[in-house]
Structures are given as C-alpha cells and as structure tokens.
Amino acid sequence: MDYKLHLVVDLDGTFLEGELIDRLALYTLIECQRNLINLIYCTGRCISDINNVIQDDVTPTPNIIIADVGTTIHSKNNNTSISKIQKEIQKMWPGHDTVSNAFDTLEYLELQPLDFINRRSYTLHDKTKLNILRDKAAQINCDLLYSHDKFIDILPQNVNKGTTLLKLIQVLNINPYSVLTAGDTMNDYSMFTIGVAGIVVNNASPSLKKNVRGLKNIYLAKHKGTKGILEGISHFDFQLFTKKSGIDHHNIIAYHRPQYSTVLKKNKLIHNKHTSPNGIIPTLKSSIDIQENTAWVCTIPYHLNTKPDFIKTGFICEKTNKVDFIYILEKEENINDYYHNFSKNILWPTLHSYNPSTEFHQSSWINFLKINFRFAISIAMYANFNSITTFHDYNLWMAPYLLRQLRPDITIKFFHHTPFPQSHFFSRLPCAKAILKSLSCCNRVDFHTTEHLQNYIHTLELFHKIKEISTSTSSRYDKAPNQLTISHSKKSIQLGSSKLITTCNANPVGIDTNKINSYLLKRDPDYFNQLKLNTHKSQQLILTVQRMDYTKGIKEKLQGIE
C-alpha cells in the first residue's frame, strides 16, 4: 500500500504517554487514516508485552513491530522480507551463555528478569563502570546501550532500533521522506541518526534532547507523549488532509444527527423522515438556505452485513443541490452508547442542573471521545483552507480539541442550544476539565442568554487562569407589539498561555417564522375552528409544542396555569 506516512513510535514515554484525550486523539486519527498511515512500533518491550498493551481496545494495533531495542522484528502479515531481517539479527547474536559468562557475575549489575531472545538486560548500580562494560561487550562482538540513567542492554554488534528500521526501509522500498520517528530516551537515539524525520517529545530525557541538537529533521515538541506526536505530524505536514477534488466546502455545519433519518444498508443510503424530530434540525436547514458551499457533517449507523469499501475509511460524502452531507459511519451500538448512555444520561441532566441519571462509565466517555474525534478528522479531510466550522450542541463538545490541532487554519465556532449550568453543577462531571479545554480551542462560543455565558466564564475560572480581553453589551428590540428586549453580551478571553482569543457571546437563535406562517396558510382553516368547537366553554385551550422531557418543567407549567 502507498502510505503517505510511516509512523515509527517508541511506546513507554512516547506513544503510551499522555492524558486520555491526547492518546485517543492520536489513536483515532490513525484508525481513521489506516489507508494513509502505516503504524510501526519500535520499542524496548518484548513481543508478549506488546500484545498485552494492544488488548485494551484503545491502543491501535501496529502493522509492524520492532521490539527488544531493535533485536526482534515482526509483521502482522508475516512478510518474508521482514523475516529475513530477523534471521540476519539472529546470526549476529553470540548467545545468552556467552553474554551471561561475561556479565552475570559482576556485583554492580543486576540481571533483569525478562525473557529476551537476542538481548540481555541489566540494571547498573555503579555508573563509573560504564567504560569497562563497553569494552567487555566489544570483546564478545556486542554493543552496550545505556538508557534511563540506569539500564544496560547488551545487543548484537551494530543492531539497534535505528539499524533495524533502516533495513526495514530498504527491504520494503519505503520512501525515507514518508517516515517519521518519535521517542523519548537514549535507546531511541539511533532512530534519529538515520536521516529520516523525527520527533523528540517534550518529556524526553535531558540526555536525548542534548544529543539530538544539531541533527537535521529532528523536531523538539512542545508537548509530551501523544500530543507531542500530533504536534510533530502537523509540523512536518505529511499531506494527510489534502483538498479532495471536486469538493468545495467553505462552511461546515457539524451536528450529530442528519437532516433525515439515514442509514447505510446493503451498500445504499436509505433516507426517511425522523420519527423523533427536534428544533435544531429545522434551524440548521434554514441556515443552509442562505449559505453557499456548505457541508453538513453527522453520524449514521451502518448494518453489520454491509461491508462496502468505503466503510474502511469510515466516511461517505453525498452531494445534493443545496448542501453536501458527510456521513460518519458508526456501529449502531456505538451511536446508542454515545447518544443515550453518555450524552442523555450524563451530560443532559447536568446542563439542566439535575444530577446525572446514571453512573459515569469510562467506556462510554471513551466512545464519546472517539466519535467526537471522528467528526474532527472528517472535517479536516473535507474543509477548504481558511473555512468556517460551526459545531452545534453539547454532543460535540470534544471535537474542537482535535480539529484545532489538525487544521489550525479553520475558524471554529460552537453554539449551545441548551442551557449552560452554574459552575458547581458542571464541575461535578469527571470530564469537566477536558470539555472546557476543548471549548477553549474555539474562536467563538455562543449561548442563548447572558446567564449561560456568565456560568461558562465562572466555570472556566474554576479550572484555568483566564485573561479577559474585552467585554461589551448591546440590546435590540423586536418588531412585536410588546417590544421584547433582547440583550447581546460578548466577552473575549484568553486561556492560560494560549495565544488564541476566544469570543464568547450571548446570542439567542430564534425560529424561522416565515416557514411556520407558510405552513399555517397551507392548513385547512376548519382544522382550527374544529379545535375550538371541541373545547368546552369552561375549559381553556392550550396549544404547545415541546418535548416530553423532565427538564422542560411541563408539570410546573401546568401548575402555573392553574
């Protein structure tokens, strides 16, 4: 396969390092771009340890593993060329008995209880003996690798992570300019000396940072672990998000539901009317009518018996007259978990100042993150340069976090169609800090009322140091006889050391009254007369359109009328 990026990563301290949101951001990008990214592990761990790591349903499976500090190499498809590299390494190893006789009896070395094939590892208790140990290794045709300021590895001569990776590049005829390495300790140093691009993550050892200074194509990341890898991928620009021909999307609308109830079944998109419509979809449809070059990004379920080629990439783009739809394909159970278990049972009650109706489950939070990050990746793939993306509602709270890293050119807006609760309610969420961090990646965050805006600012102040750049308030009057006053508040803030200025607005969104009037004119007038006739003189007729939801205060409204 013609990969755009061969990503070669150390594990501990690098690919496994970082907060959950940062690890999942990188891991989801890799899973969504499997046709473009070839993942290669290059680690000091043995194969059995690595297999344990990738059993967690979070960490992606690599196509190739370089293990045991370069002395073992294994491919998922048992590539014969890779097997030849392994046989060459095996011939160069003098054997455990030879190494054991030279090192095991030394009192300042402690043998590590690990089962390696072509390597023997120790913990060093006296650093003054390093040169003596190097000489002893050379006498038996071996190299000594010193790392973490205490570990000693005895390896076959001229075998390490770098030399094994270089052989892999040669036998598979990989373009060296498509290779990117990442590491954090001196046992990764050899990867940075073979001439390919490399990332030294921010949490790397001081000795590694010192030794790579002056090397070409090496990037010292500002962030640690997986976030540092993402930073490096953006720095080297491997063209993972090149503009797709024939597609022109300057305005992106992101909402978790499509315009119609759409499913992928037997390789075809099936569209039906929503059985449970809401008020946001009509609002979005109205905005589409006045915007050009617009795409609507949403999730749809696909049936397990449907396995077309496009499921491998996970996205479908459907072009229509007014708007293009970018469908993110998800298993139905994942969508249900994302929407019902997490969004509706955890986030929705909190937004309305109720206690969540169920316990916070880490697995549902992980699924929520994955789907949000897939929104970010799909937008990064399809959006024009310097385009505008507007995320709608709390279901997509985490999408801006990854989109900002993948496409810093995009203007990101977020509109809350729900209340934003007071800080003491919101801060109860275990994921509160992560959500605020994501919203702070937006250029603009909107709320319906000034109260919701103030709640958001006060909540931010609980978790972060913020700098208020400017504040303004304005009012306007509608044309109704009662002269309803609508206030608009705006605050521009900076979070911590971030250079991004986020504008926070209280900016209510109304309904499309023209559409409602045109709908009423189409109805038979007798329909409304009949309603009145069926109402007893002693009764009061109340017409209302709202969801049957406990947060809407239906009981309280009826009591108020009484």
Side-chain angles (χ1 to χ4, degrees):
M1 188 177 289
D2 188 19
Y3 295 106
K4 285 192 174 183
L5 169 61
H6 297 267
L7 182 61
V8 186
V9 293
D10 172 56
L11 291 182
D12 300 283
T14 305
F15 196 66
L16 301 180
E17 177 70 29
E19 295 181 23
L20 177 64
I21 59 171
D22 294 317
R23 287 187 287 121
L24 277 174
L26 177 61
Y27 299 168
T28 306
L29 173 64
I30 291 168
E31 294 293 2
C32 288
Q33 301 274 40
R34 281 289 191 178
N35 60 325
L36 300 177
I37 301 175
N38 180 27
L39 179 62
I40 302 172
Y41 286 175
C42 195
T43 175
R45 291 198 185 208
C46 59
I47 295 293
S48 59
D49 275 350
I50 296 167
N51 288 333
N52 290 333
V53 167
I54 58 180
Q55 297 301 318
D56 61 2
D57 294 327
V58 173
T59 312
T61 303
N63 293 325
I64 300 171
I65 296 173
I66 298 174
D68 298 326
V69 204
T71 63
T72 304
I73 186 166
H74 172 78
S75 65
K76 189 167 65 173
N77 59 0
N78 295 315
N79 186 291
T80 54
S81 297
I82 292 176
S83 299
K84 288 180 181 178
I85 299 175
Q86 182 61 60
K87 289 176 182 178
E88 289 176 11
I89 294 172
Q90 183 70 44
K91 289 178 183 178
M92 300 169 71
W93 176 240
H96 282 285
D97 289 343
T98 302
V99 179
S100 175
N101 292 335
F103 292 93
D104 282 13
T105 58
L106 299 176
E107 59 184 15
Y108 46 83
L109 287 183
E110 180 184 346
L111 181 67
Q112 294 181 23
L114 299 169
D115 187 21
F116 298 123
I117 300 173
N118 301 316
R119 151 196 181 196
R120 202 160 178 85
S121 301
Y122 302 87
T123 301
L124 176 64
H125 298 297
D126 185 353
K127 297 178 186 178
T128 64
K129 306 295 185 182
L130 259 177
N131 287 333
I132 296 174
L133 292 173
R134 285 196 174 97
D135 291 340
K136 289 180 74 68
Q139 290 170 11
I140 57 173
N141 296 319
C142 286
D143 286 339
L144 181 148
L145 178 65
Y146 181 55
S147 63
H148 291 87
D149 212 27
K150 61 179 178 178
F151 294 138
I152 294 286
D153 287 300
I154 307 301
L155 310 174
Q157 203 164 50
N158 298 320
V159 175
N160 51 50
K161 288 184 177 183
T163 56
T164 303
L165 173 59
L166 188 58
K167 286 181 180 178
L168 178 69
I169 292 170
Q170 291 167 349
V171 300
L172 296 185
N173 197 27
I174 295 172
N175 180 356
Y177 293 104
S178 66
V179 177
L180 178 63
T181 60
D184 70 300
T185 68
M186 279 303 294
N187 72 19
D188 302 312
Y189 176 70
S190 59
M191 292 195 298
F192 300 127
T193 62
I194 63 173
V196 299
I199 306 164
V200 174
V201 293
N202 186 257
N203 55 298
S205 66
S207 56
L208 178 62
K209 290 181 178 179
K210 179 181 178 181
N211 277 276
V212 298
R213 285 197 178 98
L215 292 179
K216 291 182 179 180
N217 295 325
I218 303 303
Y219 177 72
L220 296 174
K222 298 179 180 66
H223 297 96
K224 67 180 184 178
T226 45
K227 191 168 184 179
I229 297 174
L230 262 177
E231 179 190 336
I233 291 173
S234 296
H235 170 79
F236 287 106
D237 189 11
F238 284 88
Q239 299 293 307
L240 297 178
F241 304 109
T242 52
K243 187 177 182 299
K244 298 184 180 295
S245 60
I247 297 177
D248 190 24
H249 298 142
H250 186 72
N251 298 296
I252 305 287
I253 291 172
Y255 182 55
H256 73 281
R257 297 180 72 179
Q259 181 175 357
Y260 302 102
S261 179
T262 304
V263 297
L264 179 65
K265 195 172 184 179
K266 293 182 180 180
N267 301 355
K268 291 184 179 180
L269 291 168
I270 310 298
H271 304 288
N272 294 300
K273 286 186 176 181
H274 282 292
T275 55
S276 176
N278 64 16
I280 299 177
I281 290 176
T283 301
L284 299 185
K285 288 168 70 175
S286 296
S287 68
I288 288 170
D289 292 339
I290 58 173
Q291 292 183 4
E292 295 181 349
N293 304 329
T294 299
W296 182 327
V297 184
C298 53
T299 53
I300 63 169
Y302 69 88
H303 289 249
L304 292 178
N305 61 350
T306 304
K307 293 186 177 180
D309 290 339
F310 43 65
I311 282 186
K312 293 179 182 177
T313 59
F315 308 106
I316 300 176
C317 184
E318 182 185 39
K319 298 184 75 67
T320 66
N321 291 333
K322 287 187 177 180
V323 62
D324 293 345
F325 290 94
I326 300 169
Y327 299 113
I328 300 170
L329 305 178
E330 278 290 347
K331 293 179 181 178
E332 195 157 10
E333 58 265 33
N334 289 348
I335 292 178
N336 288 336
D337 183 46
Y338 154 79
Y339 183 70
H340 295 290
N341 293 348
F342 197 82
S343 296
K344 281 301 178 186
N345 289 341
I346 298 293
L347 301 181
W348 178 259
T350 303
L351 286 166
H352 293 84
S353 302
Y354 286 84
N355 291 319
S357 56
T358 187
E359 291 183 8
F360 184 97
H361 292 290
Q362 185 78 345
S363 59
S364 293
W365 168 234
I366 288 172
N367 186 53
F368 181 85
L369 285 172
K370 285 182 178 180
I371 290 179
N372 270 254
F373 291 157
R374 293 193 72 196
F375 268 87
I377 293 163
S378 66
I379 293 166
M381 289 169 59
Y382 287 97
N384 282 5
F385 185 74
N386 283 340
S387 58
I388 300 170
T389 291
T390 306
F391 292 101
H392 288 270
D393 229 7
Y394 66 101
N395 313 83
L396 296 177
W397 263 339
M398 292 306 301
Y401 184 71
L402 180 55
L403 182 59
R404 174 60 63 209
Q405 297 177 67
L406 299 180
R407 291 286 304 272
D409 60 288
I410 292 178
T411 298
I412 304 175
K413 300 180 180 182
F414 201 105
F415 193 91
H416 290 85
H417 294 264
T418 59
F420 197 92
Q422 292 182 344
S423 57
H424 65 277
F425 268 102
F426 187 84
S427 60
R428 294 177 187 175
L429 289 171
C431 54
K433 188 174 181 180
I435 292 168
L436 294 174
K437 188 184 289 188
S438 179
L439 287 173
S440 299
C441 294
C442 298
N443 299 88
R444 174 170 171 161
V445 180
D446 282 66
F447 304 87
H448 272 298
T449 69
T450 301
E451 179 187 0
H452 300 157
L453 167 60
Q454 293 295 346
N455 287 346
Y456 173 66
I457 298 296
H458 292 156
T459 306
L460 265 180
E461 289 173 330
L462 277 182
F463 291 91
H464 302 283
K465 182 180 179 181
I466 66 171
K467 179 182 178 182
E468 194 168 299
I469 306 298
S470 64
T471 302
S472 64
T473 304
S474 61
S475 300
R476 69 176 175 84
Y477 302 95
D478 69 3
K479 295 179 181 179
N482 294 330
Q483 290 281 291
L484 176 66
T485 303
I486 300 176
S487 296
H488 293 263
S489 297
K490 181 168 75 172
K491 288 180 179 289
S492 296
I493 60 171
Q494 278 180 306
L495 184 68
S497 59
S498 172
K499 295 180 181 179
L500 178 69
I501 296 177
T502 301
T503 302
C504 305
N505 297 271
N507 189 29
V509 168
I511 57 175
D512 192 334
T513 55
N514 291 331
K515 281 192 175 181
I516 294 174
N517 288 332
S518 64
Y519 174 76
L520 291 174
L521 291 173
K522 293 176 183 177
R523 295 301 299 256
D524 186 348
D526 290 339
Y527 171 79
F528 299 100
N529 293 330
Q530 193 64 39
L531 278 177
K532 293 177 181 178
L533 290 173
N534 292 337
T535 304
H536 195 271
K537 290 182 179 180
S538 62
Q539 294 177 320
Q540 186 176 4
L541 176 63
I542 303 171
L543 292 177
T544 179
V545 179
Q546 60 186 5
R547 296 176 62 177
M548 299 297 289
D549 189 298
Y550 62 94
T551 65
K552 300 302 182 184
I554 296 172
K555 178 182 176 182
E556 289 76 10
K557 289 174 184 176
L558 292 173
Q559 289 174 340
I561 292 170
E562 292 177 355

